Amino acid sequence: MFRISILSAVAAFLFCNASLAQVNQRTQFNQGLAMFNELVMQHELGEAIDFIQIDKLLEEEELTELNRSLRVAIPDDFVNNQSVRSEVLKNGFRQELLAFWTEENDYYFVYILFHSRKDGFSVIHIEHSTEIQDLMAFF
């Protein structure tokens, strides 16, 4: 009887920690995506990509060029953003299609493929375009 109680307590502890880790990882993902969105809303695409691709550091020239190309494509300020499509794949993979738009109905889209690991999220692939059909092909 005592052994069953100990096993039950250990199982409850492990499930509680696993659940807590999953909640923390989900919170980390949501916070990271919110910061990414905020940077893109400010036309700081280079900084946004640099922020979520922690394993790849962009050179200053790359950051500047990404920001410049976004400002050329969409010169007006963004007024809102939303997730267009989000898909949880197998084995910790997830893909997101994000939309950003202006009052003049100019749209900018960002596709991100993530992989969730024990140590956090890894960004595997990013694409961005003013044409949604270019990015919907990933789904």
Side-chain angles (χ1 to χ4, degrees), residues 11 24 26 36 40 45 47 49 53-54 56 65 81 84-85 96 99 102 105 110 113 119 123 135:
N24 287 340
R26 190 171 300 137
F36 177 86
V40 174
L45 180 62
E47 287 79 358
I49 291 173
Q53 280 190 324
I54 57 174
K56 295 180 186 177
E65 179 55 29
N81 70 288
V84 174
R85 191 161 181 187
E96 294 279 336
T102 68
N105 293 322
V110 179
L113 177 63
D119 60 342
V123 174
L135 305 178

PDB file of all heavy atoms in Angstrom, residues 11 24 26 36 40 45 47 49 53-54 56 65 81 84-85 96 99 102 105 110 113 119 123 135:
ATOM      1  N   ALA A  11       4.259   9.856  -9.795  1.00  0.00           N
ATOM      2  CA  ALA A  11       3.567  10.038 -11.075  1.00  0.00           C
ATOM      3  C   ALA A  11       2.880  11.400 -11.125  1.00  0.00           C
ATOM      4  O   ALA A  11       2.959  12.109 -12.131  1.00  0.00           O
ATOM      5  CB  ALA A  11       2.552   8.923 -11.298  1.00  0.00           C
ATOM      6  N   ASN A  24       4.711  26.574 -19.695  1.00  0.00           N
ATOM      7  CA  ASN A  24       5.791  27.553 -19.780  1.00  0.00           C
ATOM      8  C   ASN A  24       6.293  27.687 -21.213  1.00  0.00           C
ATOM      9  O   ASN A  24       6.593  28.790 -21.662  1.00  0.00           O
ATOM     10  CB  ASN A  24       6.941  27.169 -18.848  1.00  0.00           C
ATOM     11  CG  ASN A  24       6.595  27.399 -17.400  1.00  0.00           C
ATOM     12  OD1 ASN A  24       5.688  28.150 -17.089  1.00  0.00           O
ATOM     13  ND2 ASN A  24       7.306  26.734 -16.518  1.00  0.00           N
ATOM     14  N   ARG A  26       4.551  27.090 -23.947  1.00  0.00           N
ATOM     15  CA  ARG A  26       3.492  27.764 -24.694  1.00  0.00           C
ATOM     16  C   ARG A  26       3.521  29.263 -24.395  1.00  0.00           C
ATOM     17  O   ARG A  26       3.373  30.090 -25.289  1.00  0.00           O
ATOM     18  CB  ARG A  26       2.129  27.166 -24.327  1.00  0.00           C
ATOM     19  CG  ARG A  26       1.010  27.651 -25.228  1.00  0.00           C
ATOM     20  CD  ARG A  26      -0.272  26.893 -24.979  1.00  0.00           C
ATOM     21  NE  ARG A  26      -0.102  25.478 -25.231  1.00  0.00           N
ATOM     22  CZ  ARG A  26      -0.577  24.509 -24.455  1.00  0.00           C
ATOM     23  NH1 ARG A  26      -1.262  24.801 -23.378  1.00  0.00           N
ATOM     24  NH2 ARG A  26      -0.378  23.251 -24.754  1.00  0.00           N
ATOM     25  N   PHE A  36       7.841  39.505 -31.765  1.00  0.00           N
ATOM     26  CA  PHE A  36       8.094  39.481 -33.208  1.00  0.00           C
ATOM     27  C   PHE A  36       7.087  40.383 -33.914  1.00  0.00           C
ATOM     28  O   PHE A  36       7.457  41.223 -34.734  1.00  0.00           O
ATOM     29  CB  PHE A  36       7.992  38.041 -33.731  1.00  0.00           C
ATOM     30  CG  PHE A  36       8.176  37.930 -35.215  1.00  0.00           C
ATOM     31  CD1 PHE A  36       9.445  37.828 -35.761  1.00  0.00           C
ATOM     32  CD2 PHE A  36       7.092  37.931 -36.068  1.00  0.00           C
ATOM     33  CE1 PHE A  36       9.625  37.729 -37.132  1.00  0.00           C
ATOM     34  CE2 PHE A  36       7.251  37.836 -37.440  1.00  0.00           C
ATOM     35  CZ  PHE A  36       8.531  37.737 -37.981  1.00  0.00           C
ATOM     36  N   VAL A  40       7.754  43.851 -36.215  1.00  0.00           N
ATOM     37  CA  VAL A  40       7.319  43.993 -37.605  1.00  0.00           C
ATOM     38  C   VAL A  40       6.378  45.183 -37.733  1.00  0.00           C
ATOM     39  O   VAL A  40       6.468  45.953 -38.700  1.00  0.00           O
ATOM     40  CB  VAL A  40       6.661  42.702 -38.141  1.00  0.00           C
ATOM     41  CG1 VAL A  40       6.094  42.919 -39.539  1.00  0.00           C
ATOM     42  CG2 VAL A  40       7.671  41.554 -38.160  1.00  0.00           C
ATOM     43  N   LEU A  45      11.720  44.570 -39.533  1.00  0.00           N
ATOM     44  CA  LEU A  45      11.713  43.166 -39.933  1.00  0.00           C
ATOM     45  C   LEU A  45      13.039  42.485 -39.623  1.00  0.00           C
ATOM     46  O   LEU A  45      13.063  41.346 -39.159  1.00  0.00           O
ATOM     47  CB  LEU A  45      11.393  43.045 -41.428  1.00  0.00           C
ATOM     48  CG  LEU A  45      11.340  41.622 -41.993  1.00  0.00           C
ATOM     49  CD1 LEU A  45      10.242  40.808 -41.329  1.00  0.00           C
ATOM     50  CD2 LEU A  45      11.136  41.664 -43.505  1.00  0.00           C
ATOM     51  N   GLU A  47      15.215  43.154 -37.228  1.00  0.00           N
ATOM     52  CA  GLU A  47      15.305  42.896 -35.791  1.00  0.00           C
ATOM     53  C   GLU A  47      14.342  41.785 -35.371  1.00  0.00           C
ATOM     54  O   GLU A  47      14.651  40.988 -34.495  1.00  0.00           O
ATOM     55  CB  GLU A  47      15.021  44.172 -34.997  1.00  0.00           C
ATOM     56  CG  GLU A  47      16.120  45.209 -35.045  1.00  0.00           C
ATOM     57  CD  GLU A  47      16.148  46.041 -36.327  1.00  0.00           C
ATOM     58  OE1 GLU A  47      15.326  45.809 -37.249  1.00  0.00           O
ATOM     59  OE2 GLU A  47      17.015  46.925 -36.411  1.00  0.00           O
ATOM     60  N   ILE A  49      13.299  39.206 -37.218  1.00  0.00           N
ATOM     61  CA  ILE A  49      13.869  37.915 -37.632  1.00  0.00           C
ATOM     62  C   ILE A  49      15.065  37.564 -36.767  1.00  0.00           C
ATOM     63  O   ILE A  49      15.215  36.422 -36.324  1.00  0.00           O
ATOM     64  CB  ILE A  49      14.236  37.946 -39.133  1.00  0.00           C
ATOM     65  CG1 ILE A  49      12.952  37.991 -39.967  1.00  0.00           C
ATOM     66  CG2 ILE A  49      15.092  36.740 -39.512  1.00  0.00           C
ATOM     67  CD1 ILE A  49      13.165  38.181 -41.450  1.00  0.00           C
ATOM     68  N   GLN A  53      15.301  34.085 -34.541  1.00  0.00           N
ATOM     69  CA  GLN A  53      16.303  33.131 -35.012  1.00  0.00           C
ATOM     70  C   GLN A  53      17.549  33.256 -34.144  1.00  0.00           C
ATOM     71  O   GLN A  53      18.584  33.752 -34.587  1.00  0.00           O
ATOM     72  CB  GLN A  53      16.664  33.384 -36.476  1.00  0.00           C
ATOM     73  CG  GLN A  53      15.684  32.832 -37.450  1.00  0.00           C
ATOM     74  CD  GLN A  53      16.219  32.902 -38.871  1.00  0.00           C
ATOM     75  OE1 GLN A  53      16.901  33.837 -39.252  1.00  0.00           O
ATOM     76  NE2 GLN A  53      15.883  31.903 -39.652  1.00  0.00           N
ATOM     77  N   ILE A  54      17.447  32.762 -32.929  1.00  0.00           N
ATOM     78  CA  ILE A  54      18.532  32.967 -31.971  1.00  0.00           C
ATOM     79  C   ILE A  54      19.807  32.209 -32.346  1.00  0.00           C
ATOM     80  O   ILE A  54      20.884  32.572 -31.897  1.00  0.00           O
ATOM     81  CB  ILE A  54      18.087  32.587 -30.538  1.00  0.00           C
ATOM     82  CG1 ILE A  54      17.594  31.153 -30.496  1.00  0.00           C
ATOM     83  CG2 ILE A  54      17.043  33.549 -30.024  1.00  0.00           C
ATOM     84  CD1 ILE A  54      17.282  30.642 -29.115  1.00  0.00           C
ATOM     85  N   LYS A  56      21.007  32.047 -35.391  1.00  0.00           N
ATOM     86  CA  LYS A  56      21.608  32.707 -36.553  1.00  0.00           C
ATOM     87  C   LYS A  56      21.616  34.207 -36.299  1.00  0.00           C
ATOM     88  O   LYS A  56      20.572  34.821 -36.146  1.00  0.00           O
ATOM     89  CB  LYS A  56      20.789  32.444 -37.820  1.00  0.00           C
ATOM     90  CG  LYS A  56      20.755  31.028 -38.266  1.00  0.00           C
ATOM     91  CD  LYS A  56      19.920  30.909 -39.537  1.00  0.00           C
ATOM     92  CE  LYS A  56      19.751  29.470 -39.941  1.00  0.00           C
ATOM     93  NZ  LYS A  56      18.891  29.350 -41.129  1.00  0.00           N
ATOM     94  N   GLU A  65      18.978  46.094 -44.541  1.00  0.00           N
ATOM     95  CA  GLU A  65      18.362  45.784 -45.834  1.00  0.00           C
ATOM     96  C   GLU A  65      16.964  45.196 -45.662  1.00  0.00           C
ATOM     97  O   GLU A  65      16.051  45.530 -46.425  1.00  0.00           O
ATOM     98  CB  GLU A  65      19.241  44.819 -46.641  1.00  0.00           C
ATOM     99  CG  GLU A  65      18.670  44.426 -47.979  1.00  0.00           C
ATOM    100  CD  GLU A  65      18.307  45.600 -48.892  1.00  0.00           C
ATOM    101  OE1 GLU A  65      18.934  46.674 -48.805  1.00  0.00           O
ATOM    102  OE2 GLU A  65      17.372  45.440 -49.705  1.00  0.00           O
ATOM    103  N   ASN A  81      -2.316  43.443 -36.876  1.00  0.00           N
ATOM    104  CA  ASN A  81      -1.767  42.163 -37.326  1.00  0.00           C
ATOM    105  C   ASN A  81      -2.553  41.025 -36.700  1.00  0.00           C
ATOM    106  O   ASN A  81      -3.158  41.191 -35.638  1.00  0.00           O
ATOM    107  CB  ASN A  81      -0.281  42.048 -36.977  1.00  0.00           C
ATOM    108  CG  ASN A  81      -0.058  41.902 -35.499  1.00  0.00           C
ATOM    109  OD1 ASN A  81      -0.231  42.846 -34.743  1.00  0.00           O
ATOM    110  ND2 ASN A  81       0.324  40.726 -35.068  1.00  0.00           N
ATOM    111  N   VAL A  84      -3.047  34.405 -39.629  1.00  0.00           N
ATOM    112  CA  VAL A  84      -3.950  33.978 -40.691  1.00  0.00           C
ATOM    113  C   VAL A  84      -4.195  32.481 -40.584  1.00  0.00           C
ATOM    114  O   VAL A  84      -5.319  31.999 -40.693  1.00  0.00           O
ATOM    115  CB  VAL A  84      -3.355  34.305 -42.081  1.00  0.00           C
ATOM    116  CG1 VAL A  84      -4.210  33.738 -43.200  1.00  0.00           C
ATOM    117  CG2 VAL A  84      -3.173  35.788 -42.236  1.00  0.00           C
ATOM    118  N   ARG A  85      -3.125  31.784 -40.359  1.00  0.00           N
ATOM    119  CA  ARG A  85      -3.220  30.331 -40.281  1.00  0.00           C
ATOM    120  C   ARG A  85      -2.137  29.834 -39.349  1.00  0.00           C
ATOM    121  O   ARG A  85      -1.001  30.293 -39.377  1.00  0.00           O
ATOM    122  CB  ARG A  85      -3.050  29.729 -41.670  1.00  0.00           C
ATOM    123  CG  ARG A  85      -3.398  28.282 -41.733  1.00  0.00           C
ATOM    124  CD  ARG A  85      -3.651  27.839 -43.140  1.00  0.00           C
ATOM    125  NE  ARG A  85      -4.005  26.419 -43.122  1.00  0.00           N
ATOM    126  CZ  ARG A  85      -4.154  25.699 -44.188  1.00  0.00           C
ATOM    127  NH1 ARG A  85      -3.989  26.237 -45.382  1.00  0.00           N
ATOM    128  NH2 ARG A  85      -4.467  24.434 -44.107  1.00  0.00           N
ATOM    129  N   GLU A  96       3.234  28.937 -38.832  1.00  0.00           N
ATOM    130  CA  GLU A  96       2.382  30.112 -38.630  1.00  0.00           C
ATOM    131  C   GLU A  96       2.437  30.980 -39.877  1.00  0.00           C
ATOM    132  O   GLU A  96       3.513  31.175 -40.458  1.00  0.00           O
ATOM    133  CB  GLU A  96       2.880  30.960 -37.461  1.00  0.00           C
ATOM    134  CG  GLU A  96       2.787  30.329 -36.108  1.00  0.00           C
ATOM    135  CD  GLU A  96       1.423  30.416 -35.475  1.00  0.00           C
ATOM    136  OE1 GLU A  96       0.640  31.333 -35.826  1.00  0.00           O
ATOM    137  OE2 GLU A  96       1.133  29.568 -34.626  1.00  0.00           O
ATOM    138  N   ALA A  99      -0.245  38.012 -40.751  1.00  0.00           N
ATOM    139  CA  ALA A  99      -0.581  39.117 -41.649  1.00  0.00           C
ATOM    140  C   ALA A  99      -0.469  40.434 -40.897  1.00  0.00           C
ATOM    141  O   ALA A  99      -0.862  40.540 -39.733  1.00  0.00           O
ATOM    142  CB  ALA A  99      -1.997  38.950 -42.195  1.00  0.00           C
ATOM    143  N   THR A 102      -2.083  47.857 -43.351  1.00  0.00           N
ATOM    144  CA  THR A 102      -2.151  49.304 -43.173  1.00  0.00           C
ATOM    145  C   THR A 102      -3.593  49.774 -43.341  1.00  0.00           C
ATOM    146  O   THR A 102      -4.462  48.996 -43.765  1.00  0.00           O
ATOM    147  CB  THR A 102      -1.277  50.022 -44.221  1.00  0.00           C
ATOM    148  OG1 THR A 102      -1.872  49.844 -45.510  1.00  0.00           O
ATOM    149  CG2 THR A 102       0.147  49.501 -44.223  1.00  0.00           C
ATOM    150  N   ASN A 105      -5.090  49.224 -46.733  1.00  0.00           N
ATOM    151  CA  ASN A 105      -5.271  47.812 -47.103  1.00  0.00           C
ATOM    152  C   ASN A 105      -4.092  47.243 -47.870  1.00  0.00           C
ATOM    153  O   ASN A 105      -4.245  46.414 -48.769  1.00  0.00           O
ATOM    154  CB  ASN A 105      -6.575  47.606 -47.881  1.00  0.00           C
ATOM    155  CG  ASN A 105      -7.784  47.854 -47.020  1.00  0.00           C
ATOM    156  OD1 ASN A 105      -7.796  47.500 -45.842  1.00  0.00           O
ATOM    157  ND2 ASN A 105      -8.785  48.498 -47.574  1.00  0.00           N
ATOM    158  N   VAL A 110       4.036  36.959 -43.269  1.00  0.00           N
ATOM    159  CA  VAL A 110       5.236  36.289 -42.796  1.00  0.00           C
ATOM    160  C   VAL A 110       4.876  34.843 -42.458  1.00  0.00           C
ATOM    161  O   VAL A 110       3.908  34.588 -41.723  1.00  0.00           O
ATOM    162  CB  VAL A 110       5.833  36.976 -41.552  1.00  0.00           C
ATOM    163  CG1 VAL A 110       7.073  36.230 -41.071  1.00  0.00           C
ATOM    164  CG2 VAL A 110       6.151  38.431 -41.824  1.00  0.00           C
ATOM    165  N   LEU A 113       8.241  28.552 -39.727  1.00  0.00           N
ATOM    166  CA  LEU A 113       8.211  27.140 -39.345  1.00  0.00           C
ATOM    167  C   LEU A 113       9.076  26.996 -38.103  1.00  0.00           C
ATOM    168  O   LEU A 113      10.257  27.342 -38.103  1.00  0.00           O
ATOM    169  CB  LEU A 113       8.738  26.247 -40.474  1.00  0.00           C
ATOM    170  CG  LEU A 113       8.823  24.757 -40.163  1.00  0.00           C
ATOM    171  CD1 LEU A 113       7.437  24.168 -39.885  1.00  0.00           C
ATOM    172  CD2 LEU A 113       9.502  24.017 -41.309  1.00  0.00           C
ATOM    173  N   ASP A 119      14.664  22.604 -24.928  1.00  0.00           N
ATOM    174  CA  ASP A 119      15.294  23.852 -24.522  1.00  0.00           C
ATOM    175  C   ASP A 119      14.618  25.087 -25.111  1.00  0.00           C
ATOM    176  O   ASP A 119      15.140  26.185 -25.032  1.00  0.00           O
ATOM    177  CB  ASP A 119      16.774  23.847 -24.901  1.00  0.00           C
ATOM    178  CG  ASP A 119      17.005  23.697 -26.400  1.00  0.00           C
ATOM    179  OD1 ASP A 119      16.082  23.257 -27.111  1.00  0.00           O
ATOM    180  OD2 ASP A 119      18.118  24.027 -26.857  1.00  0.00           O
ATOM    181  N   VAL A 123      13.591  28.258 -34.801  1.00  0.00           N
ATOM    182  CA  VAL A 123      12.987  28.690 -36.057  1.00  0.00           C
ATOM    183  C   VAL A 123      13.757  28.017 -37.181  1.00  0.00           C
ATOM    184  O   VAL A 123      14.969  28.204 -37.323  1.00  0.00           O
ATOM    185  CB  VAL A 123      13.020  30.217 -36.200  1.00  0.00           C
ATOM    186  CG1 VAL A 123      12.526  30.637 -37.564  1.00  0.00           C
ATOM    187  CG2 VAL A 123      12.196  30.852 -35.106  1.00  0.00           C
ATOM    188  N   LEU A 135       2.946  32.246 -49.827  1.00  0.00           N
ATOM    189  CA  LEU A 135       3.153  31.625 -48.517  1.00  0.00           C
ATOM    190  C   LEU A 135       2.098  30.578 -48.171  1.00  0.00           C
ATOM    191  O   LEU A 135       2.377  29.669 -47.391  1.00  0.00           O
ATOM    192  CB  LEU A 135       3.216  32.716 -47.443  1.00  0.00           C
ATOM    193  CG  LEU A 135       4.277  33.788 -47.716  1.00  0.00           C
ATOM    194  CD1 LEU A 135       4.243  34.841 -46.636  1.00  0.00           C
ATOM    195  CD2 LEU A 135       5.648  33.185 -47.849  1.00  0.00           C
TER     196      LEU A 135
END
